[in-house]
Amino acid sequence: MTHAIVAQQAGGPEVLAYTEVERPEPGPGQLLVKVAAAGVNFIDTYKRGGVYKVPYPFIPGGEAAGTVEAVGDGVTAFAAGDRVATAEGLSCYAEYALVDEDAALPVPDGLDDFTAAALPLQGMTAHYLMNSTFKVEPGHTVLLHAGAGGVGLLLIQLLKARGAEVITTVSTDEKEQLARGTGADHVLRYDGFAARVREITVGAGADVVFDGVGKDTFDGSLKALRVRGMLVLFGAASGPVPPVDPQRLNAGGSLFLTRPTMGHYLRDAAERRWRSGEVFAAAADGSLKVRIGARYPLSQAAQAHRDLEGRKTTGKVLLVP
Ligand code: NDP
């Protein structure tokens, strides 16, 4: 027997129960991974809470790093003993998780297990947002919400390396210091942020807004854009955005609105290797700093969710079996 976090129904963090379970067996094309650390992501809270439908009993977690323990029939790219990570695993809040061979990412020698667990989901997200959803170029002005969060701290660094001007929002002094220390040019509070972006851009507005906060920021994000700017709504940490009248895009300056999700930007092995390869290499050579803001024992998954949803965390949150 081994341990995993199991939810029997949708609900608050208390549904996440540390439970004895059978060790999973890898099916054809799957790897059985001994988890060194699992990543906690906001999407895990949407699934736990019932915003996204899942089957029960449910073991959360799409992100982890660890060592291959065994492989299923037909696996050719990995063998027992290899170090792997994934952003698209199954049931990663566990001592052992299954990962489809296609979704497994080789971990370079320069990356420790915790950094490898911290990067795949938020790192590949930051990568696709700025390279493929909206191609950020040197000199662009970018507004990014929740700059001290997991995606936020990575995206600030990648945007600065690209030569963009970065404006970000945060809720506390501590988070402000962190975002500033990570390279953000302007760090704002949420109150009145759209007007501040206008001032900073001398009336023009931002070229793009990356908004993972959702309900509370959506209106201001539209107002902060330049003519023909793009709002990339990629999450809903404050809750989902209500239906939108397309006329608002016209009135706001022929704006673009998109709601991307990671799976559509990881279409095949080549795309996965490109994105993970670049972010892993940047972390391994030290040009991308990965902040692990909190580590919890696996058994404390419920507390990790409370803290993430309660805006108490910065950078990455990990569970360690
Ligand atoms: P974060 O570490 O950024 O945590 C969320 C942050 O959002 C909080 O720390 C908080 O920062 C801010 N926030 C603002 N309002 C609220 C609120 N009412 N309740 C809670 N938090 C709030 O999380 P992640 O980096 O994991 O994810 C960021 C966003 O990106 C999430 O919405 C997530 O769903 C989304 N995402 C989307 C992906 C995609 O492909 N579409 C992939 C990965 C993530 P502060 O206190 O400073 O405001």
Side-chain angles (χ1 to χ4, degrees):
M1 295 296 271
T2 140
H3 292 94
I5 297 295
V6 183
Q8 299 292 348
Q9 64 195 55
E14 69 284 352
V15 302
L16 299 176
Y18 186 65
T19 309
E20 267 205 345
V21 295
E22 297 281 345
R23 197 175 93 161
E25 289 295 325
Q30 288 185 322
L31 318 178
L32 175 68
V33 176
K34 186 173 194 311
V35 175
V40 178
N41 292 287
F42 233 90
I43 191 169
D44 305 339
T45 69
Y46 307 147
K47 289 183 176 172
R48 185 213 73 221
V51 177
Y52 292 172
K53 301 296 164 214
V54 295
Y56 297 98
F58 173 60
I59 301 178
E63 182 175 53
T67 306
V68 176
E69 183 89 1
V71 299
D73 288 345
V75 170
T76 54
F78 296 95
D82 288 348
R83 294 174 67 229
V84 294
T86 187
E88 303 158 283
L90 304 169
S91 313
C92 292
Y93 286 15
E95 287 167 351
Y96 290 90
L98 296 175
V99 179
D100 288 337
E101 181 180 21
D102 288 349
L105 310 167
V107 175
D109 286 343
L111 274 197
D112 64 83
D113 284 342
F114 288 155
T115 307
L119 259 183
L121 201 145
Q122 292 166 341
M124 289 198 288
T125 297
H127 188 281
Y128 87 68
L129 289 174
M130 63 177 279
N131 287 298
S132 306
T133 308
F134 180 96
K135 175 99 177 122
V136 175
E137 305 284 1
H140 275 155
T141 300
V142 178
L143 170 62
L144 158 66
H145 289 299
V151 174
L153 288 175
L154 297 173
L155 201 44
I156 289 173
Q157 296 174 72
L158 296 172
L159 289 168
K160 286 312 296 174
R162 179 67 50 85
E165 179 178 36
V166 179
I167 307 172
T168 193
T169 50
V170 296
S171 66
T172 67
D173 289 349
E174 186 211 346
K175 290 182 180 188
E176 175 170 347
Q177 274 179 19
L178 201 51
R180 233 180 253 293
T182 303
D185 298 290
H186 307 273
V187 185
L188 314 179
R189 296 304 157 89
Y190 292 92
D191 235 16
F193 71 82
R196 284 285 297 126
V197 171
R198 287 269 160 223
E199 281 169 25
I200 291 164
T201 57
V202 204
D207 294 283
V208 60
V209 179
F210 293 117
D211 187 343
V213 170
K215 183 165 69 66
D216 290 354
T217 45
F218 183 80
D219 289 337
S221 294
L222 282 181
K223 288 192 189 120
L225 282 167
R226 69 156 163 82
V227 170
R228 303 201 315 242
M230 184 184 285
L231 172 50
V232 180
L233 176 68
F234 70 100
S238 67
V241 174
V244 184
D245 177 355
Q247 279 300 111
R248 290 182 61 188
L249 303 179
N250 158 5
S254 300
L255 304 176
F256 295 85
L257 169 64
T258 182
R259 177 47 176 103
T261 197
M262 187 183 66
H264 297 144
Y265 287 87
L266 298 179
R267 292 299 294 274
D268 54 28
E271 195 163 39
R272 233 173 244 118
R273 262 200 304 276
W274 169 46
R275 299 193 196 285
S276 64
E278 289 197 359
V279 290
F280 282 4
D285 74 18
S287 56
L288 179 65
K289 304 271 183 276
V290 181
R291 176 183 168 88
I292 296 169
R295 280 185 228 166
Y296 301 77
L298 177 62
S299 58
Q300 301 297 309
Q303 190 57 43
H305 275 215
R306 276 185 205 105
D307 291 349
L308 183 64
E309 291 176 296
R311 306 169 80 159
K312 297 205 171 71
T313 65
T314 56
K316 187 70 202 178
V317 177
L318 292 180
L319 298 176
V320 182

